[in-house]
Amino acid sequence: MVDIPTTVKNKGLVEKRRRQIVLAAIKLFAKNGFHKTTLKELAAEANLSYGNIYDYVGSKEDIFFLIHDFLAGSAMDIINRSIENIQDPIDKLRRMVRAEFNLMDQWADALLLIYQESHILKGDFLRKLLQKERQHLGKFEKVIAECVAAGRLNDCDLRLTANLIKSMIDSWVIKRWDLRNHVNQLDAERMILEIIFNGLSRDKQALAALPQTFDDLQGKTVLVLNGGTVLGQAICSAFLANGGRLIVHGHNWNGGDGKPGNGSGQSCCAPVYVMDGQVQLTPAKMQDIEDQYGPIDIYIHDLGMGMESESAAGVGGQAMSALDDNMRHAHDLANYLRERMSARRAGRIVYLAPWAWDRYADAVRFETAKAGAIALSQVMSKDMAAAGVNVNCIVPGYIRASRPLKIEKAFKSEVAEEIPSGRLGELFDVIAAVFFLIGDGSKYLTGQVFNVTGGLT
């Protein structure tokens, strides 16, 4: 247990006392609730004096973090022990599922508390909590990757699969009000393993006929510029999940390390190359990339600044610089794309205009950049249509991120009244438009403007 200041220098004593406090807090928080439990009551339950408890923690928030730290440590210990000296990856996965269930059964009240009150933690504490969760899921991802590599499971998105398995296990606690008098732990464990290894459908033809979300991109090379925005990241993830050989140019892109693969068994889920968006991508650099990785089949350029926080509203000059730089970048590469893709007589180009949240930075520059994106795509489409290269533009409206953005929280009610559909869009709405425009279903579409705005003009 670390990161909480203490006045006691004896580390062993700190560990002992904090464990007393954690166990007392789990009991009282589960019984009375986090907010109604006082530090005085916690001190009494932990067999400490009220004054003495402040030698080990400073607040109830500190204690809440210690509870999570304690549970995270317990989870890692029990998982590591469960697969110690086990070689078969399927057996490892089975044992990890059982270990998780044992943890759930032992610390059900504490785990439910974490789910219900995780909003309490802010700043560094929240980041550390999420880091520990990521490490926990990483254990599952590693074993799933081993199963895939051994040919025991189908190829899959490791992160998504690990999260789905963990969510099914967590339901034993989250949905205990409905499950505990209906099935026992072994029944739940057996059903989850049945779903993982065999699925539930007996109709294999129906299973094979399930619609695919997007066209297969196997063998195609995709270049995404400005891939560090919220939209850019989501589009990159979709390309990776569907087999595209992804090259990313983007500031603050956090999906990979810029090397082929990432050593995690996710060769299909890592970009082949990542470039820092602060470094200008020139035609000469594009030529180097194509020489190394082959011709660019699909070119996606997000021309927005990807504004995420209301604190950036009205930044004026900064918005002007960001939006102008993106448009200038697109212009600089236009002739290269026109020449190379036309010579190959193949390729798809999609320009993304700034999303509607960028309007709050500078309304005039936003409208100018949006008009520029549309004009560029239409001029390029006319020049390249005879060569069979499609160029289209997407205008994203007010789009929700996977986690609510600060700007979304600040202006959601205001913008919802403007949108004819009465709601914000989803990342998937933009991704689906991108995949339609690069897929076989849009062979005869070029120079088009797709307003993914819920009817907003």
Side-chain angles (χ1 to χ4, degrees):
M1 298 181 183
V2 295
D3 300 312
I4 306 294
T6 176
T7 61
V8 179
K9 295 182 180 180
N10 186 327
K11 292 183 179 180
L13 182 60
V14 171
E15 185 78 17
K16 178 181 177 181
R17 294 289 185 255
R18 285 184 172 174
R19 183 181 175 86
Q20 291 174 226
I21 293 169
V22 163
L23 295 178
I26 291 172
K27 179 179 178 180
L28 292 182
F29 289 165
K31 180 181 178 182
N32 304 325
F34 175 84
H35 296 287
K36 292 184 179 180
T37 303
T38 66
L39 275 175
K40 188 173 183 179
E41 291 170 331
L42 282 169
E45 183 67 31
N47 293 319
L48 298 171
S49 69
Y50 181 50
N52 191 222
I53 198 171
Y54 285 102
D55 291 332
Y56 304 99
V57 294
S59 65
K60 286 197 296 180
E61 288 74 17
D62 289 351
I63 297 173
F64 189 86
F65 175 76
L66 289 174
I67 291 174
H68 186 276
D69 194 57
F70 170 76
L71 291 175
S74 297
M76 294 301 277
D77 286 344
I78 194 171
I79 287 176
N80 288 335
R81 288 199 304 270
S82 71
I83 60 176
E84 191 174 10
N85 299 322
I86 303 300
Q87 302 302 318
D88 181 71
I90 291 293
D91 196 19
K92 281 185 183 179
L93 190 53
R94 286 197 186 98
R95 288 169 180 265
M96 288 175 71
V97 169
R98 174 159 294 180
E100 286 283 328
F101 265 103
N102 290 338
L103 182 74
M104 295 283 164
D105 211 47
Q106 183 178 2
W107 298 109
D109 288 340
L111 290 161
L112 189 60
L113 175 70
I114 293 294
Y115 273 100
Q116 292 173 334
E117 305 289 355
S118 60
H119 63 276
I120 290 167
L121 295 181
K122 308 292 182 185
D124 288 341
F125 279 171
L126 179 59
R127 280 190 288 274
K128 289 184 173 67
L129 182 152
L130 295 176
Q131 286 172 3
K132 290 177 182 294
E133 285 292 313
R134 180 93 288 281
Q135 292 170 4
H136 191 161
L137 288 164
K139 286 283 187 180
F140 276 89
E141 291 170 19
K142 182 178 179 181
V143 173
I144 295 167
E146 290 177 12
C147 294
V148 172
R152 308 287 294 281
L153 291 179
N154 290 327
D155 196 9
C156 60
D157 185 311
L158 302 183
R159 179 172 291 198
L160 176 61
T161 304
N163 272 280
L164 290 174
I165 292 173
K166 186 67 168 61
S167 296
M168 285 193 290
I169 300 169
D170 290 352
S171 67
W172 183 242
V173 167
I174 299 170
K175 296 292 186 180
R176 64 180 180 178
W177 60 271
D178 190 47
L179 292 175
R180 291 302 169 91
N181 293 324
H182 179 64
V183 294
N184 60 39
Q185 177 184 325
L186 289 178
D187 291 331
E189 178 188 324
R190 189 179 298 112
M191 177 57 69
I192 289 173
L193 292 171
E194 178 69 21
I195 291 171
I196 295 170
F197 297 128
N198 301 316
L200 297 179
S201 176
R202 299 180 65 182
D203 187 344
K204 300 306 180 184
Q205 288 184 332
L207 191 62
L210 286 175
Q212 298 298 310
T213 307
F214 300 122
D215 290 336
D216 184 19
L217 292 170
Q218 202 68 39
K220 294 183 179 179
T221 300
V222 184
L223 173 60
V224 177
L225 270 73
N226 201 18
T229 65
V230 172
L231 284 178
Q233 299 253 11
I235 290 166
C236 288
S237 295
F239 280 133
L240 289 170
N242 286 272
R245 298 179 69 249
L246 179 66
I247 298 169
V248 183
H249 178 270
H251 182 51
N252 289 334
W253 195 81
N254 63 16
D257 56 11
K259 301 175 182 178
N262 60 7
S264 66
Q266 285 183 273
S267 58
C268 65
C269 296
V272 296
Y273 187 55
V274 178
M275 295 167 283
D276 187 345
Q278 292 180 319
V279 179
Q280 185 80 5
L281 180 58
T282 63
K285 182 63 176 175
M286 285 276 285
Q287 180 66 65
D288 291 341
I289 290 171
E290 289 200 296
D291 288 344
Q292 184 172 0
Y293 297 106
I296 302 299
D297 300 298
I298 299 165
Y299 174 91
I300 311 292
H301 199 152
D302 183 353
L303 297 171
M305 62 183 290
M307 188 166 154
E308 299 180 24
S309 171
E310 82 284 1
S311 63
V315 295
Q318 295 177 18
M320 183 185 301
S321 176
L323 294 172
D324 284 356
D325 286 348
N326 289 342
M327 184 57 67
R328 190 180 304 110
H329 199 182
H331 284 156
D332 290 344
L333 296 175
N335 285 334
Y336 177 88
L337 292 169
R338 187 185 292 114
E339 178 184 338
R340 296 288 292 181
M341 285 189 170
S342 295
R344 292 196 303 270
R345 304 190 68 80
R348 300 293 175 94
I349 298 174
V350 179
Y351 291 107
L352 269 69
W355 70 349
W357 296 117
D358 286 351
R359 183 192 304 270
Y360 283 95
D362 186 317
V364 173
R365 300 308 303 180
F366 166 79
E367 293 295 344
T368 303
K370 183 170 76 171
I374 293 170
L376 177 62
S377 65
Q378 291 178 334
V379 169
M380 290 280 283
S381 70
K382 288 180 181 178
D383 290 347
M384 304 176 76
V389 179
N390 295 31
V391 186
N392 294 288
C393 181
I394 294 173
V395 179
Y398 293 104
I399 306 297
R400 295 175 60 248
S402 300
R403 294 173 180 268
L405 302 173
K406 291 181 179 179
I407 194 167
E408 178 185 327
K409 293 177 181 177
F411 298 114
K412 179 179 179 180
S413 298
E414 175 183 316
V415 302
E417 296 178 1
E418 301 177 32
I419 304 172
S421 66
R423 65 177 182 84
L424 303 183
E426 305 287 341
L427 290 171
F428 182 84
D429 297 326
V430 179
I431 294 169
V434 170
F435 272 76
F436 173 70
L437 290 175
I438 66 171
D440 289 341
S442 64
K443 286 180 179 178
Y444 201 56
L445 287 179
T446 190
Q448 302 303 303
V449 180
F450 278 41
N451 290 289
V452 186
T453 60
L456 186 67
T457 57

mmCIF file of all heavy atoms in Angstrom, residues 323-357:
data_model
loop_
_atom_site.group_PDB
_atom_site.id
_atom_site.type_symbol
_atom_site.label_atom_id
_atom_site.label_comp_id
_atom_site.label_asym_id
_atom_site.label_seq_id
_atom_site.Cartn_x
_atom_site.Cartn_y
_atom_site.Cartn_z
ATOM 1 N N LEU A 323 -6.132 24.824 -37.116
ATOM 2 C CA LEU A 323 -6.974 24.534 -38.270
ATOM 3 C C LEU A 323 -6.274 24.896 -39.578
ATOM 4 O O LEU A 323 -6.352 24.166 -40.570
ATOM 5 C CB LEU A 323 -8.305 25.276 -38.139
ATOM 6 C CG LEU A 323 -9.198 24.813 -36.970
ATOM 7 C CD1 LEU A 323 -10.402 25.736 -36.815
ATOM 8 C CD2 LEU A 323 -9.655 23.378 -37.154
ATOM 9 N N ASP A 324 -5.583 26.032 -39.589
ATOM 10 C CA ASP A 324 -4.853 26.434 -40.796
ATOM 11 C C ASP A 324 -3.718 25.466 -41.109
ATOM 12 O O ASP A 324 -3.475 25.126 -42.273
ATOM 13 C CB ASP A 324 -4.285 27.851 -40.626
ATOM 14 C CG ASP A 324 -5.350 28.928 -40.768
ATOM 15 O OD1 ASP A 324 -6.507 28.571 -41.067
ATOM 16 O OD2 ASP A 324 -5.028 30.108 -40.583
ATOM 17 N N ASP A 325 -3.001 25.031 -40.065
ATOM 18 C CA ASP A 325 -1.902 24.084 -40.270
ATOM 19 C C ASP A 325 -2.408 22.782 -40.880
ATOM 20 O O ASP A 325 -1.773 22.204 -41.782
ATOM 21 C CB ASP A 325 -1.181 23.802 -38.949
ATOM 22 C CG ASP A 325 -0.307 24.968 -38.493
ATOM 23 O OD1 ASP A 325 -0.090 25.893 -39.303
ATOM 24 O OD2 ASP A 325 0.150 24.946 -37.332
ATOM 25 N N ASN A 326 -3.553 22.289 -40.376
ATOM 26 C CA ASN A 326 -4.102 21.044 -40.910
ATOM 27 C C ASN A 326 -4.473 21.186 -42.387
ATOM 28 O O ASN A 326 -4.211 20.292 -43.204
ATOM 29 C CB ASN A 326 -5.330 20.620 -40.103
ATOM 30 C CG ASN A 326 -4.970 20.133 -38.721
ATOM 31 O OD1 ASN A 326 -3.822 19.797 -38.457
ATOM 32 N ND2 ASN A 326 -5.944 20.100 -37.823
ATOM 33 N N MET A 327 -5.108 22.302 -42.732
ATOM 34 C CA MET A 327 -5.504 22.513 -44.124
ATOM 35 C C MET A 327 -4.274 22.678 -45.021
ATOM 36 O O MET A 327 -4.214 22.134 -46.134
ATOM 37 C CB MET A 327 -6.415 23.732 -44.230
ATOM 38 C CG MET A 327 -6.967 23.976 -45.627
ATOM 39 S SD MET A 327 -7.881 22.550 -46.298
ATOM 40 C CE MET A 327 -9.285 22.528 -45.190
ATOM 41 N N ARG A 328 -3.284 23.412 -44.539
ATOM 42 C CA ARG A 328 -2.053 23.588 -45.309
ATOM 43 C C ARG A 328 -1.361 22.242 -45.539
ATOM 44 O O ARG A 328 -0.846 21.967 -46.625
ATOM 45 C CB ARG A 328 -1.124 24.547 -44.568
ATOM 46 C CG ARG A 328 0.102 24.993 -45.390
ATOM 47 C CD ARG A 328 0.979 25.952 -44.602
ATOM 48 N NE ARG A 328 0.242 27.106 -44.136
ATOM 49 C CZ ARG A 328 -0.064 27.349 -42.860
ATOM 50 N NH1 ARG A 328 0.321 26.492 -41.917
ATOM 51 N NH2 ARG A 328 -0.733 28.408 -42.506
ATOM 52 N N HIS A 329 -1.380 21.425 -44.516
ATOM 53 C CA HIS A 329 -0.782 20.089 -44.613
ATOM 54 C C HIS A 329 -1.480 19.277 -45.698
ATOM 55 O O HIS A 329 -0.834 18.613 -46.524
ATOM 56 C CB HIS A 329 -0.900 19.397 -43.253
ATOM 57 C CG HIS A 329 0.021 18.252 -43.083
ATOM 58 N ND1 HIS A 329 0.043 17.478 -41.935
ATOM 59 C CD2 HIS A 329 0.953 17.700 -43.894
ATOM 60 C CE1 HIS A 329 0.953 16.534 -42.058
ATOM 61 N NE2 HIS A 329 1.512 16.640 -43.234
ATOM 62 N N ALA A 330 -2.803 19.334 -45.722
ATOM 63 C CA ALA A 330 -3.567 18.598 -46.729
ATOM 64 C C ALA A 330 -3.255 19.102 -48.135
ATOM 65 O O ALA A 330 -3.112 18.313 -49.082
ATOM 66 C CB ALA A 330 -5.061 18.719 -46.438
ATOM 67 N N HIS A 331 -3.151 20.429 -48.274
ATOM 68 C CA HIS A 331 -2.813 20.997 -49.584
ATOM 69 C C HIS A 331 -1.426 20.554 -50.043
ATOM 70 O O HIS A 331 -1.213 20.234 -51.219
ATOM 71 C CB HIS A 331 -2.856 22.530 -49.506
ATOM 72 C CG HIS A 331 -4.248 23.077 -49.487
ATOM 73 N ND1 HIS A 331 -4.564 24.313 -48.955
ATOM 74 C CD2 HIS A 331 -5.428 22.547 -49.912
ATOM 75 C CE1 HIS A 331 -5.856 24.528 -49.066
ATOM 76 N NE2 HIS A 331 -6.404 23.471 -49.628
ATOM 77 N N ASP A 332 -0.469 20.526 -49.109
ATOM 78 C CA ASP A 332 0.905 20.156 -49.455
ATOM 79 C C ASP A 332 0.995 18.731 -49.993
ATOM 80 O O ASP A 332 1.874 18.420 -50.810
ATOM 81 C CB ASP A 332 1.819 20.304 -48.233
ATOM 82 C CG ASP A 332 2.045 21.755 -47.831
ATOM 83 O OD1 ASP A 332 1.750 22.636 -48.660
ATOM 84 O OD2 ASP A 332 2.496 22.004 -46.698
ATOM 85 N N LEU A 333 0.114 17.861 -49.498
ATOM 86 C CA LEU A 333 0.169 16.452 -49.903
ATOM 87 C C LEU A 333 -0.762 16.126 -51.069
ATOM 88 O O LEU A 333 -0.719 15.023 -51.618
ATOM 89 C CB LEU A 333 -0.179 15.563 -48.712
ATOM 90 C CG LEU A 333 0.799 15.619 -47.521
ATOM 91 C CD1 LEU A 333 0.265 14.791 -46.363
ATOM 92 C CD2 LEU A 333 2.179 15.132 -47.930
ATOM 93 N N ALA A 334 -1.624 17.082 -51.443
ATOM 94 C CA ALA A 334 -2.650 16.804 -52.459
ATOM 95 C C ALA A 334 -2.042 16.410 -53.802
ATOM 96 O O ALA A 334 -2.480 15.444 -54.439
ATOM 97 C CB ALA A 334 -3.561 18.020 -52.617
ATOM 98 N N ASN A 335 -1.039 17.146 -54.259
ATOM 99 C CA ASN A 335 -0.444 16.842 -55.563
ATOM 100 C C ASN A 335 0.224 15.470 -55.565
ATOM 101 O O ASN A 335 0.162 14.730 -56.559
ATOM 102 C CB ASN A 335 0.574 17.919 -55.951
ATOM 103 C CG ASN A 335 -0.097 19.200 -56.406
ATOM 104 O OD1 ASN A 335 -1.230 19.179 -56.888
ATOM 105 N ND2 ASN A 335 0.589 20.325 -56.243
ATOM 106 N N TYR A 336 0.881 15.124 -54.439
ATOM 107 C CA TYR A 336 1.519 13.811 -54.335
ATOM 108 C C TYR A 336 0.461 12.706 -54.457
ATOM 109 O O TYR A 336 0.640 11.744 -55.214
ATOM 110 C CB TYR A 336 2.275 13.684 -53.014
ATOM 111 C CG TYR A 336 2.901 12.328 -52.811
ATOM 112 C CD1 TYR A 336 4.178 12.058 -53.297
ATOM 113 C CD2 TYR A 336 2.213 11.301 -52.175
ATOM 114 C CE1 TYR A 336 4.751 10.802 -53.136
ATOM 115 C CE2 TYR A 336 2.767 10.045 -52.003
ATOM 116 C CZ TYR A 336 4.039 9.804 -52.492
ATOM 117 O OH TYR A 336 4.598 8.560 -52.339
ATOM 118 N N LEU A 337 -0.639 12.853 -53.710
ATOM 119 C CA LEU A 337 -1.699 11.848 -53.746
ATOM 120 C C LEU A 337 -2.311 11.760 -55.140
ATOM 121 O O LEU A 337 -2.583 10.669 -55.646
ATOM 122 C CB LEU A 337 -2.781 12.192 -52.721
ATOM 123 C CG LEU A 337 -2.378 12.083 -51.256
ATOM 124 C CD1 LEU A 337 -3.445 12.717 -50.375
ATOM 125 C CD2 LEU A 337 -2.171 10.633 -50.852
ATOM 126 N N ARG A 338 -2.541 12.924 -55.762
ATOM 127 C CA ARG A 338 -3.126 12.961 -57.100
ATOM 128 C C ARG A 338 -2.248 12.196 -58.097
ATOM 129 O O ARG A 338 -2.733 11.382 -58.892
ATOM 130 C CB ARG A 338 -3.301 14.410 -57.538
ATOM 131 C CG ARG A 338 -4.053 14.573 -58.857
ATOM 132 C CD ARG A 338 -4.085 16.031 -59.298
ATOM 133 N NE ARG A 338 -4.902 16.832 -58.415
ATOM 134 C CZ ARG A 338 -4.436 17.797 -57.627
ATOM 135 N NH1 ARG A 338 -3.129 18.044 -57.574
ATOM 136 N NH2 ARG A 338 -5.246 18.503 -56.870
ATOM 137 N N GLU A 339 -0.958 12.442 -58.005
ATOM 138 C CA GLU A 339 -0.035 11.805 -58.938
ATOM 139 C C GLU A 339 0.089 10.312 -58.689
ATOM 140 O O GLU A 339 -0.029 9.495 -59.612
ATOM 141 C CB GLU A 339 1.338 12.485 -58.830
ATOM 142 C CG GLU A 339 2.404 11.871 -59.722
ATOM 143 C CD GLU A 339 3.764 12.518 -59.520
ATOM 144 O OE1 GLU A 339 3.820 13.663 -59.039
ATOM 145 O OE2 GLU A 339 4.783 11.848 -59.821
ATOM 146 N N ARG A 340 0.313 9.933 -57.424
ATOM 147 C CA ARG A 340 0.601 8.526 -57.112
ATOM 148 C C ARG A 340 -0.638 7.635 -57.270
ATOM 149 O O ARG A 340 -0.574 6.566 -57.886
ATOM 150 C CB ARG A 340 1.135 8.421 -55.680
ATOM 151 C CG ARG A 340 2.458 9.131 -55.459
ATOM 152 C CD ARG A 340 3.612 8.410 -56.124
ATOM 153 N NE ARG A 340 3.870 7.134 -55.464
ATOM 154 C CZ ARG A 340 4.832 6.294 -55.809
ATOM 155 N NH1 ARG A 340 5.607 6.584 -56.845
ATOM 156 N NH2 ARG A 340 5.017 5.165 -55.167
ATOM 157 N N MET A 341 -1.764 8.056 -56.691
ATOM 158 C CA MET A 341 -2.959 7.215 -56.773
ATOM 159 C C MET A 341 -3.513 7.163 -58.189
ATOM 160 O O MET A 341 -4.020 6.118 -58.623
ATOM 161 C CB MET A 341 -4.006 7.722 -55.788
ATOM 162 C CG MET A 341 -3.701 7.393 -54.330
ATOM 163 S SD MET A 341 -5.092 7.788 -53.236
ATOM 164 C CE MET A 341 -4.555 7.016 -51.696
ATOM 165 N N SER A 342 -3.420 8.273 -58.907
ATOM 166 C CA SER A 342 -3.903 8.265 -60.296
ATOM 167 C C SER A 342 -3.050 7.343 -61.165
ATOM 168 O O SER A 342 -3.574 6.651 -62.044
ATOM 169 C CB SER A 342 -3.880 9.693 -60.867
ATOM 170 O OG SER A 342 -4.799 10.521 -60.180
ATOM 171 N N ALA A 343 -1.749 7.322 -60.912
ATOM 172 C CA ALA A 343 -0.866 6.439 -61.676
ATOM 173 C C ALA A 343 -1.210 4.971 -61.422
ATOM 174 O O ALA A 343 -1.142 4.131 -62.332
ATOM 175 C CB ALA A 343 0.591 6.719 -61.315
ATOM 176 N N ARG A 344 -1.579 4.655 -60.183
ATOM 177 C CA ARG A 344 -1.942 3.269 -59.852
ATOM 178 C C ARG A 344 -3.382 2.953 -60.239
ATOM 179 O O ARG A 344 -3.792 1.801 -60.224
ATOM 180 C CB ARG A 344 -1.753 3.019 -58.341
ATOM 181 C CG ARG A 344 -0.319 3.041 -57.881
ATOM 182 C CD ARG A 344 -0.189 2.400 -56.508
ATOM 183 N NE ARG A 344 -1.029 3.041 -55.508
ATOM 184 C CZ ARG A 344 -0.644 4.062 -54.758
ATOM 185 N NH1 ARG A 344 0.570 4.572 -54.917
ATOM 186 N NH2 ARG A 344 -1.443 4.591 -53.873
ATOM 187 N N ARG A 345 -4.161 4.012 -60.527
ATOM 188 C CA ARG A 345 -5.579 3.887 -60.856
ATOM 189 C C ARG A 345 -6.341 3.142 -59.767
ATOM 190 O O ARG A 345 -7.212 2.293 -60.049
ATOM 191 C CB ARG A 345 -5.767 3.215 -62.225
ATOM 192 C CG ARG A 345 -5.031 3.919 -63.365
ATOM 193 C CD ARG A 345 -5.425 3.373 -64.720
ATOM 194 N NE ARG A 345 -6.810 3.693 -65.042
ATOM 195 C CZ ARG A 345 -7.235 4.872 -65.512
ATOM 196 N NH1 ARG A 345 -6.375 5.862 -65.677
ATOM 197 N NH2 ARG A 345 -8.514 5.071 -65.789
ATOM 198 N N ALA A 346 -6.011 3.467 -58.527
ATOM 199 C CA ALA A 346 -6.690 2.850 -57.389
ATOM 200 C C ALA A 346 -6.444 3.683 -56.142
ATOM 201 O O ALA A 346 -5.388 4.306 -56.001
ATOM 202 C CB ALA A 346 -6.186 1.426 -57.165
ATOM 203 N N GLY A 347 -7.411 3.668 -55.252
ATOM 204 C CA GLY A 347 -7.229 4.344 -53.972
ATOM 205 C C GLY A 347 -8.497 5.037 -53.511
ATOM 206 O O GLY A 347 -9.403 5.330 -54.304
ATOM 207 N N ARG A 348 -8.582 5.278 -52.230
ATOM 208 C CA ARG A 348 -9.702 5.998 -51.619
ATOM 209 C C ARG A 348 -9.135 7.087 -50.714
ATOM 210 O O ARG A 348 -8.186 6.838 -49.953
ATOM 211 C CB ARG A 348 -10.588 5.062 -50.803
ATOM 212 C CG ARG A 348 -11.230 3.925 -51.596
ATOM 213 C CD ARG A 348 -12.243 4.458 -52.607
ATOM 214 N NE ARG A 348 -12.768 3.411 -53.447
ATOM 215 C CZ ARG A 348 -13.888 2.742 -53.198
ATOM 216 N NH1 ARG A 348 -14.590 3.006 -52.096
ATOM 217 N NH2 ARG A 348 -14.313 1.816 -54.031
ATOM 218 N N ILE A 349 -9.729 8.271 -50.796
ATOM 219 C CA ILE A 349 -9.344 9.394 -49.937
ATOM 220 C C ILE A 349 -10.587 9.899 -49.228
ATOM 221 O O ILE A 349 -11.632 10.117 -49.864
ATOM 222 C CB ILE A 349 -8.712 10.540 -50.756
ATOM 223 C CG1 ILE A 349 -7.433 10.074 -51.445
ATOM 224 C CG2 ILE A 349 -8.434 11.752 -49.866
ATOM 225 C CD1 ILE A 349 -6.823 11.108 -52.386
ATOM 226 N N VAL A 350 -10.488 10.079 -47.921
ATOM 227 C CA VAL A 350 -11.586 10.650 -47.142
ATOM 228 C C VAL A 350 -11.027 11.783 -46.290
ATOM 229 O O VAL A 350 -10.113 11.574 -45.485
ATOM 230 C CB VAL A 350 -12.261 9.598 -46.236
ATOM 231 C CG1 VAL A 350 -13.378 10.256 -45.426
ATOM 232 C CG2 VAL A 350 -12.805 8.437 -47.053
ATOM 233 N N TYR A 351 -11.578 12.970 -46.477
ATOM 234 C CA TYR A 351 -11.236 14.105 -45.630
ATOM 235 C C TYR A 351 -12.325 14.271 -44.575
ATOM 236 O O TYR A 351 -13.521 14.244 -44.890
ATOM 237 C CB TYR A 351 -11.128 15.389 -46.460
ATOM 238 C CG TYR A 351 -9.943 15.418 -47.398
ATOM 239 C CD1 TYR A 351 -10.122 15.279 -48.775
ATOM 240 C CD2 TYR A 351 -8.656 15.579 -46.919
ATOM 241 C CE1 TYR A 351 -9.044 15.290 -49.645
ATOM 242 C CE2 TYR A 351 -7.564 15.593 -47.789
ATOM 243 C CZ TYR A 351 -7.764 15.454 -49.143
ATOM 244 O OH TYR A 351 -6.690 15.466 -49.994
ATOM 245 N N LEU A 352 -11.889 14.428 -43.318
ATOM 246 C CA LEU A 352 -12.825 14.714 -42.236
ATOM 247 C C LEU A 352 -12.746 16.200 -41.911
ATOM 248 O O LEU A 352 -11.684 16.707 -41.514
ATOM 249 C CB LEU A 352 -12.480 13.918 -40.972
ATOM 250 C CG LEU A 352 -13.131 12.545 -40.796
ATOM 251 C CD1 LEU A 352 -12.575 11.571 -41.817
ATOM 252 C CD2 LEU A 352 -12.916 12.018 -39.388
ATOM 253 N N ALA A 353 -13.848 16.905 -42.110
ATOM 254 C CA ALA A 353 -13.898 18.307 -41.704
ATOM 255 C C ALA A 353 -13.810 18.384 -40.177
ATOM 256 O O ALA A 353 -14.023 17.384 -39.478
ATOM 257 C CB ALA A 353 -15.194 18.937 -42.202
ATOM 258 N N PRO A 354 -13.503 19.555 -39.617
ATOM 259 C CA PRO A 354 -13.465 19.686 -38.149
ATOM 260 C C PRO A 354 -14.807 19.281 -37.549
ATOM 261 O O PRO A 354 -15.868 19.597 -38.103
ATOM 262 C CB PRO A 354 -13.197 21.185 -37.934
ATOM 263 C CG PRO A 354 -12.533 21.632 -39.188
ATOM 264 C CD PRO A 354 -13.142 20.809 -40.288
ATOM 265 N N TRP A 355 -14.771 18.553 -36.427
ATOM 266 C CA TRP A 355 -16.033 18.193 -35.798
ATOM 267 C C TRP A 355 -16.639 19.411 -35.117
ATOM 268 O O TRP A 355 -15.974 20.407 -34.867
ATOM 269 C CB TRP A 355 -15.895 16.998 -34.883
ATOM 270 C CG TRP A 355 -15.135 17.158 -33.585
ATOM 271 C CD1 TRP A 355 -14.361 18.206 -33.174
ATOM 272 C CD2 TRP A 355 -15.088 16.191 -32.533
ATOM 273 N NE1 TRP A 355 -13.821 17.955 -31.943
ATOM 274 C CE2 TRP A 355 -14.252 16.731 -31.516
ATOM 275 C CE3 TRP A 355 -15.647 14.935 -32.335
ATOM 276 C CZ2 TRP A 355 -13.983 16.039 -30.330
ATOM 277 C CZ3 TRP A 355 -15.373 14.256 -31.167
ATOM 278 C CH2 TRP A 355 -14.550 14.805 -30.187
ATOM 279 N N ALA A 356 -17.942 19.329 -34.833
ATOM 280 C CA ALA A 356 -18.695 20.513 -34.416
ATOM 281 C C ALA A 356 -18.184 21.134 -33.122
ATOM 282 O O ALA A 356 -18.350 22.339 -32.903
ATOM 283 C CB ALA A 356 -20.179 20.166 -34.289
ATOM 284 N N TRP A 357 -17.542 20.350 -32.260
ATOM 285 C CA TRP A 357 -17.027 20.925 -31.008
ATOM 286 C C TRP A 357 -15.970 21.991 -31.280
ATOM 287 O O TRP A 357 -15.781 22.905 -30.473
ATOM 288 C CB TRP A 357 -16.421 19.832 -30.115
ATOM 289 C CG TRP A 357 -17.383 18.790 -29.637
ATOM 290 C CD1 TRP A 357 -17.356 17.455 -29.925
ATOM 291 C CD2 TRP A 357 -18.522 18.973 -28.789
ATOM 292 N NE1 TRP A 357 -18.385 16.794 -29.309
ATOM 293 C CE2 TRP A 357 -19.126 17.708 -28.601
ATOM 294 C CE3 TRP A 357 -19.097 20.084 -28.178
ATOM 295 C CZ2 TRP A 357 -20.257 17.508 -27.833
ATOM 296 C CZ3 TRP A 357 -20.249 19.899 -27.400
ATOM 297 C CH2 TRP A 357 -20.812 18.630 -27.238
#
